Amino acid sequence: MQIGIIIVVILYEVISIAFSGWKTAKDNKSGKSDFALGGRSLGTWAIGTTLCLTLLGSGHLTGTWEGALTIGGAQIWHVMANGFAMALGAYTTYKWARRMRVTTTGGLLKTLYGDKIALMVAAVNIAVGWAVTSFETQALGIIINSLTGIDLPICVIIATALGFFYVAIGGTKQVAMLNQINVIILYVGMFGALIILLTQLPGMNFDTVRDYYVSNPSYGADFVSFTGGTEHFIQVAIPVCVAPFFAHMTGQQTIQTAASAKNEKSLKRIAWFVGPMNVIIGAISICLTLTARSMPQFDGISNKLVCTEMLLDMMPPWFMAILIAAFIAAILSSYGGFLMGAATSIVYDFVKLYKPKMNAKQETKWMRIALLIGGIYCGIMAQTLPTIVLMFTWIYSFMIPVLWYYLFGFWWKRDERVALTAFIASFAVASFASFASPILPAWYNNIHISYQVMVVSLLIMIIGTAMSKNAKPGYFKSREWFESEAYRDYLEEVKSGNA
């Protein structure tokens, strides 16, 4: 029956990917769309679901299952970081980036500061995109492995092929079209799993689950609390929130989706629903996995697999087809968003340095080459990875300074030398804290990397920018902005009531 489930789900994915890819590729050829930004034509629902599902992959499913059994209920802070970033970003960084009519974070920073910092941040965005894509590949491989018993390395190869075709035929618009369908399947699957699980628990509530952790000295009451206790909250929960928040406020994976919006108003509307839509799924995941670990029949199964095993055991086979489709859809959506973001940065920020006059057909060709290279690399990396959410937190920390670049560069002053200093210092601090950890004192190791990078980069930006005598004015207060074509486009949106 499990083989039957996976066959049905894979058939659904292949058919839906093929149809959406054909439709969007046809639009791309006719000039109605483009590979990287979908012709800047995505409406509120398309933008909202794409942002939501791009940030709702393994981090909210297998990553949250593993993370919740590592840090407890405080795992919800990692989930909420995504919601905070999307809701606030829709009214700030996403809106401002779209207003500039940029395609990549590299292009944005090139306009604000210059080539050097633009290339450095673009390179980090590619690394972040590939790292997250590796996590998604592994997560999808784990799910296929759980259903079929096929060796995990083979399942990772299958996952790599599915992920590549999810995005490679039609680009951003293909991903958006699939996401608008998949978000419905995801919600039906997750809420259905929660309801079915509750019907099989004593009293149709989670009291017995909570009692298991409270009475178990290996966990305790703090493990299932919202904060995990004061010390845990400061050292683990808040850093787990900080790094993703900064990364998603500024990263290519979100800026590119926002840049695809058909107008500013459609982008701002998402603030009212995309955060809760994202967080609810993560909260359900935490409930499911904490329940799974509390059940004696699943004792001894690893944190990566215990939730999947419980669902397979307790859910009706017909419902598992829906649930597995939901899991695969969420992971593929995140895979597509991050792999697409990295490929766009490669082509627009690097390849175009040598081929500046590429036409749309050539851009699409290079984008697909970048997608293929990235997909293969991530498939190799996915064969063995550390705890997913802890790795997320580490890799996202390198994006923390970028938020300061945006805020200072848009609205205060901008000096590329100061930005470069902050970036290099942040990279040095992050690398030192990570690789010198075995020889560092305990008190220093207890200061999370997110805090270190955030404070160091902010102090350098404040002091350096304030003291700079050659800093340019904030972009949205400068002649560059008021004389740009993007400003004229913005005035048209204001005039039509779409800003």
Side-chain angles (χ1 to χ4, degrees), residues 313-333:
D313 184 72
M314 300 184 71
M315 300 292 140
W318 64 267
F319 181 76
M320 279 306 300
I322 298 173
L323 189 58
I324 296 302
F327 291 165
I328 291 178
I331 291 170
L332 284 175
S333 300

PDB file of all heavy atoms in Angstrom, residues 313-333:
ATOM      1  N   ASP A 313       1.598   4.731  10.515  1.00  0.00           N
ATOM      2  CA  ASP A 313       0.955   3.721  11.354  1.00  0.00           C
ATOM      3  C   ASP A 313      -0.479   4.105  11.717  1.00  0.00           C
ATOM      4  O   ASP A 313      -1.353   3.233  11.814  1.00  0.00           O
ATOM      5  CB  ASP A 313       1.782   3.515  12.618  1.00  0.00           C
ATOM      6  CG  ASP A 313       1.232   2.414  13.503  1.00  0.00           C
ATOM      7  OD1 ASP A 313       1.359   1.233  13.105  1.00  0.00           O
ATOM      8  OD2 ASP A 313       0.672   2.723  14.577  1.00  0.00           O
ATOM      9  N   MET A 314      -0.735   5.397  11.924  1.00  0.00           N
ATOM     10  CA  MET A 314      -2.012   5.820  12.503  1.00  0.00           C
ATOM     11  C   MET A 314      -2.997   6.406  11.495  1.00  0.00           C
ATOM     12  O   MET A 314      -4.188   6.508  11.789  1.00  0.00           O
ATOM     13  CB  MET A 314      -1.759   6.841  13.615  1.00  0.00           C
ATOM     14  CG  MET A 314      -0.898   6.309  14.756  1.00  0.00           C
ATOM     15  SD  MET A 314      -0.707   7.474  16.124  1.00  0.00           S
ATOM     16  CE  MET A 314      -2.357   7.428  16.836  1.00  0.00           C
ATOM     17  N   MET A 315      -2.534   6.819  10.329  1.00  0.00           N
ATOM     18  CA  MET A 315      -3.430   7.444   9.356  1.00  0.00           C
ATOM     19  C   MET A 315      -3.987   6.403   8.389  1.00  0.00           C
ATOM     20  O   MET A 315      -3.282   5.469   8.001  1.00  0.00           O
ATOM     21  CB  MET A 315      -2.684   8.525   8.558  1.00  0.00           C
ATOM     22  CG  MET A 315      -2.123   9.645   9.404  1.00  0.00           C
ATOM     23  SD  MET A 315      -3.386  10.697  10.147  1.00  0.00           S
ATOM     24  CE  MET A 315      -2.688  10.952  11.782  1.00  0.00           C
ATOM     25  N   PRO A 316      -5.241   6.569   7.956  1.00  0.00           N
ATOM     26  CA  PRO A 316      -5.799   5.667   6.937  1.00  0.00           C
ATOM     27  C   PRO A 316      -4.987   5.752   5.647  1.00  0.00           C
ATOM     28  O   PRO A 316      -4.503   6.833   5.291  1.00  0.00           O
ATOM     29  CB  PRO A 316      -7.217   6.220   6.717  1.00  0.00           C
ATOM     30  CG  PRO A 316      -7.509   7.069   7.903  1.00  0.00           C
ATOM     31  CD  PRO A 316      -6.201   7.597   8.384  1.00  0.00           C
ATOM     32  N   PRO A 317      -4.815   4.640   4.945  1.00  0.00           N
ATOM     33  CA  PRO A 317      -3.994   4.658   3.718  1.00  0.00           C
ATOM     34  C   PRO A 317      -4.456   5.697   2.695  1.00  0.00           C
ATOM     35  O   PRO A 317      -3.625   6.354   2.053  1.00  0.00           O
ATOM     36  CB  PRO A 317      -4.145   3.231   3.178  1.00  0.00           C
ATOM     37  CG  PRO A 317      -4.415   2.412   4.396  1.00  0.00           C
ATOM     38  CD  PRO A 317      -5.236   3.277   5.296  1.00  0.00           C
ATOM     39  N   TRP A 318      -5.784   5.850   2.530  1.00  0.00           N
ATOM     40  CA  TRP A 318      -6.277   6.814   1.542  1.00  0.00           C
ATOM     41  C   TRP A 318      -5.883   8.241   1.920  1.00  0.00           C
ATOM     42  O   TRP A 318      -5.571   9.073   1.061  1.00  0.00           O
ATOM     43  CB  TRP A 318      -7.797   6.735   1.398  1.00  0.00           C
ATOM     44  CG  TRP A 318      -8.548   7.115   2.660  1.00  0.00           C
ATOM     45  CD1 TRP A 318      -8.974   6.276   3.644  1.00  0.00           C
ATOM     46  CD2 TRP A 318      -8.945   8.436   3.063  1.00  0.00           C
ATOM     47  NE1 TRP A 318      -9.609   6.974   4.650  1.00  0.00           N
ATOM     48  CE2 TRP A 318      -9.606   8.311   4.316  1.00  0.00           C
ATOM     49  CE3 TRP A 318      -8.807   9.701   2.503  1.00  0.00           C
ATOM     50  CZ2 TRP A 318     -10.129   9.401   5.010  1.00  0.00           C
ATOM     51  CZ3 TRP A 318      -9.322  10.801   3.190  1.00  0.00           C
ATOM     52  CH2 TRP A 318      -9.979  10.643   4.430  1.00  0.00           C
ATOM     53  N   PHE A 319      -5.853   8.515   3.252  1.00  0.00           N
ATOM     54  CA  PHE A 319      -5.489   9.858   3.679  1.00  0.00           C
ATOM     55  C   PHE A 319      -3.989  10.095   3.559  1.00  0.00           C
ATOM     56  O   PHE A 319      -3.548  11.220   3.319  1.00  0.00           O
ATOM     57  CB  PHE A 319      -5.934  10.103   5.129  1.00  0.00           C
ATOM     58  CG  PHE A 319      -5.603  11.485   5.615  1.00  0.00           C
ATOM     59  CD1 PHE A 319      -6.360  12.573   5.205  1.00  0.00           C
ATOM     60  CD2 PHE A 319      -4.502  11.712   6.433  1.00  0.00           C
ATOM     61  CE1 PHE A 319      -6.040  13.864   5.622  1.00  0.00           C
ATOM     62  CE2 PHE A 319      -4.176  12.981   6.857  1.00  0.00           C
ATOM     63  CZ  PHE A 319      -4.953  14.062   6.448  1.00  0.00           C
ATOM     64  N   MET A 320      -3.200   9.030   3.715  1.00  0.00           N
ATOM     65  CA  MET A 320      -1.755   9.182   3.585  1.00  0.00           C
ATOM     66  C   MET A 320      -1.365   9.666   2.204  1.00  0.00           C
ATOM     67  O   MET A 320      -0.370  10.383   2.043  1.00  0.00           O
ATOM     68  CB  MET A 320      -1.049   7.857   3.889  1.00  0.00           C
ATOM     69  CG  MET A 320      -0.869   7.571   5.379  1.00  0.00           C
ATOM     70  SD  MET A 320      -0.033   8.914   6.286  1.00  0.00           S
ATOM     71  CE  MET A 320       1.541   9.024   5.449  1.00  0.00           C
ATOM     72  N   ALA A 321      -2.138   9.301   1.186  1.00  0.00           N
ATOM     73  CA  ALA A 321      -1.851   9.792  -0.165  1.00  0.00           C
ATOM     74  C   ALA A 321      -1.958  11.319  -0.198  1.00  0.00           C
ATOM     75  O   ALA A 321      -1.109  12.013  -0.783  1.00  0.00           O
ATOM     76  CB  ALA A 321      -2.809   9.172  -1.177  1.00  0.00           C
ATOM     77  N   ILE A 322      -3.006  11.861   0.464  1.00  0.00           N
ATOM     78  CA  ILE A 322      -3.177  13.318   0.532  1.00  0.00           C
ATOM     79  C   ILE A 322      -2.056  13.942   1.348  1.00  0.00           C
ATOM     80  O   ILE A 322      -1.465  14.958   0.956  1.00  0.00           O
ATOM     81  CB  ILE A 322      -4.549  13.673   1.158  1.00  0.00           C
ATOM     82  CG1 ILE A 322      -5.684  13.140   0.298  1.00  0.00           C
ATOM     83  CG2 ILE A 322      -4.673  15.182   1.348  1.00  0.00           C
ATOM     84  CD1 ILE A 322      -7.062  13.307   0.918  1.00  0.00           C
ATOM     85  N   LEU A 323      -1.751  13.325   2.490  1.00  0.00           N
ATOM     86  CA  LEU A 323      -0.746  13.894   3.389  1.00  0.00           C
ATOM     87  C   LEU A 323       0.646  13.877   2.761  1.00  0.00           C
ATOM     88  O   LEU A 323       1.385  14.864   2.842  1.00  0.00           O
ATOM     89  CB  LEU A 323      -0.745  13.114   4.709  1.00  0.00           C
ATOM     90  CG  LEU A 323       0.083  13.709   5.844  1.00  0.00           C
ATOM     91  CD1 LEU A 323      -0.398  15.117   6.171  1.00  0.00           C
ATOM     92  CD2 LEU A 323      -0.001  12.825   7.077  1.00  0.00           C
ATOM     93  N   ILE A 324       1.003  12.777   2.146  1.00  0.00           N
ATOM     94  CA  ILE A 324       2.319  12.712   1.510  1.00  0.00           C
ATOM     95  C   ILE A 324       2.400  13.685   0.337  1.00  0.00           C
ATOM     96  O   ILE A 324       3.439  14.322   0.100  1.00  0.00           O
ATOM     97  CB  ILE A 324       2.640  11.275   1.048  1.00  0.00           C
ATOM     98  CG1 ILE A 324       2.730  10.345   2.266  1.00  0.00           C
ATOM     99  CG2 ILE A 324       3.936  11.225   0.274  1.00  0.00           C
ATOM    100  CD1 ILE A 324       3.778  10.756   3.289  1.00  0.00           C
ATOM    101  N   ALA A 325       1.297  13.826  -0.404  1.00  0.00           N
ATOM    102  CA  ALA A 325       1.268  14.836  -1.478  1.00  0.00           C
ATOM    103  C   ALA A 325       1.489  16.223  -0.899  1.00  0.00           C
ATOM    104  O   ALA A 325       2.189  17.058  -1.492  1.00  0.00           O
ATOM    105  CB  ALA A 325      -0.059  14.769  -2.219  1.00  0.00           C
ATOM    106  N   ALA A 326       0.906  16.470   0.291  1.00  0.00           N
ATOM    107  CA  ALA A 326       1.076  17.770   0.944  1.00  0.00           C
ATOM    108  C   ALA A 326       2.530  17.992   1.335  1.00  0.00           C
ATOM    109  O   ALA A 326       3.104  19.068   1.102  1.00  0.00           O
ATOM    110  CB  ALA A 326       0.180  17.849   2.179  1.00  0.00           C
ATOM    111  N   PHE A 327       3.159  16.968   1.931  1.00  0.00           N
ATOM    112  CA  PHE A 327       4.561  17.093   2.333  1.00  0.00           C
ATOM    113  C   PHE A 327       5.461  17.337   1.128  1.00  0.00           C
ATOM    114  O   PHE A 327       6.321  18.224   1.136  1.00  0.00           O
ATOM    115  CB  PHE A 327       5.021  15.821   3.052  1.00  0.00           C
ATOM    116  CG  PHE A 327       4.404  15.606   4.404  1.00  0.00           C
ATOM    117  CD1 PHE A 327       4.475  14.371   5.016  1.00  0.00           C
ATOM    118  CD2 PHE A 327       3.757  16.631   5.070  1.00  0.00           C
ATOM    119  CE1 PHE A 327       3.920  14.163   6.272  1.00  0.00           C
ATOM    120  CE2 PHE A 327       3.198  16.439   6.320  1.00  0.00           C
ATOM    121  CZ  PHE A 327       3.275  15.198   6.918  1.00  0.00           C
ATOM    122  N   ILE A 328       5.269  16.541   0.104  1.00  0.00           N
ATOM    123  CA  ILE A 328       6.118  16.650  -1.077  1.00  0.00           C
ATOM    124  C   ILE A 328       5.916  18.003  -1.761  1.00  0.00           C
ATOM    125  O   ILE A 328       6.875  18.648  -2.204  1.00  0.00           O
ATOM    126  CB  ILE A 328       5.844  15.489  -2.050  1.00  0.00           C
ATOM    127  CG1 ILE A 328       6.345  14.171  -1.440  1.00  0.00           C
ATOM    128  CG2 ILE A 328       6.522  15.731  -3.399  1.00  0.00           C
ATOM    129  CD1 ILE A 328       6.079  12.944  -2.285  1.00  0.00           C
ATOM    130  N   ALA A 329       4.659  18.455  -1.802  1.00  0.00           N
ATOM    131  CA  ALA A 329       4.372  19.750  -2.422  1.00  0.00           C
ATOM    132  C   ALA A 329       5.075  20.883  -1.682  1.00  0.00           C
ATOM    133  O   ALA A 329       5.665  21.782  -2.291  1.00  0.00           O
ATOM    134  CB  ALA A 329       2.862  19.991  -2.441  1.00  0.00           C
ATOM    135  N   ALA A 330       5.031  20.846  -0.340  1.00  0.00           N
ATOM    136  CA  ALA A 330       5.672  21.904   0.449  1.00  0.00           C
ATOM    137  C   ALA A 330       7.176  21.904   0.243  1.00  0.00           C
ATOM    138  O   ALA A 330       7.804  22.958   0.064  1.00  0.00           O
ATOM    139  CB  ALA A 330       5.339  21.717   1.927  1.00  0.00           C
ATOM    140  N   ILE A 331       7.767  20.719   0.267  1.00  0.00           N
ATOM    141  CA  ILE A 331       9.226  20.623   0.115  1.00  0.00           C
ATOM    142  C   ILE A 331       9.649  21.045  -1.291  1.00  0.00           C
ATOM    143  O   ILE A 331      10.628  21.774  -1.467  1.00  0.00           O
ATOM    144  CB  ILE A 331       9.691  19.197   0.442  1.00  0.00           C
ATOM    145  CG1 ILE A 331       9.506  18.927   1.943  1.00  0.00           C
ATOM    146  CG2 ILE A 331      11.151  18.997   0.046  1.00  0.00           C
ATOM    147  CD1 ILE A 331       9.705  17.482   2.342  1.00  0.00           C
ATOM    148  N   LEU A 332       8.906  20.605  -2.306  1.00  0.00           N
ATOM    149  CA  LEU A 332       9.242  20.994  -3.675  1.00  0.00           C
ATOM    150  C   LEU A 332       9.104  22.502  -3.878  1.00  0.00           C
ATOM    151  O   LEU A 332       9.888  23.113  -4.615  1.00  0.00           O
ATOM    152  CB  LEU A 332       8.347  20.255  -4.668  1.00  0.00           C
ATOM    153  CG  LEU A 332       8.690  18.779  -4.929  1.00  0.00           C
ATOM    154  CD1 LEU A 332       7.636  18.150  -5.839  1.00  0.00           C
ATOM    155  CD2 LEU A 332      10.070  18.638  -5.542  1.00  0.00           C
ATOM    156  N   SER A 333       8.126  23.108  -3.227  1.00  0.00           N
ATOM    157  CA  SER A 333       7.938  24.555  -3.355  1.00  0.00           C
ATOM    158  C   SER A 333       9.136  25.307  -2.799  1.00  0.00           C
ATOM    159  O   SER A 333       9.634  26.257  -3.408  1.00  0.00           O
ATOM    160  CB  SER A 333       6.659  24.979  -2.616  1.00  0.00           C
ATOM    161  OG  SER A 333       5.532  24.342  -3.153  1.00  0.00           O
TER     162      SER A 333
END
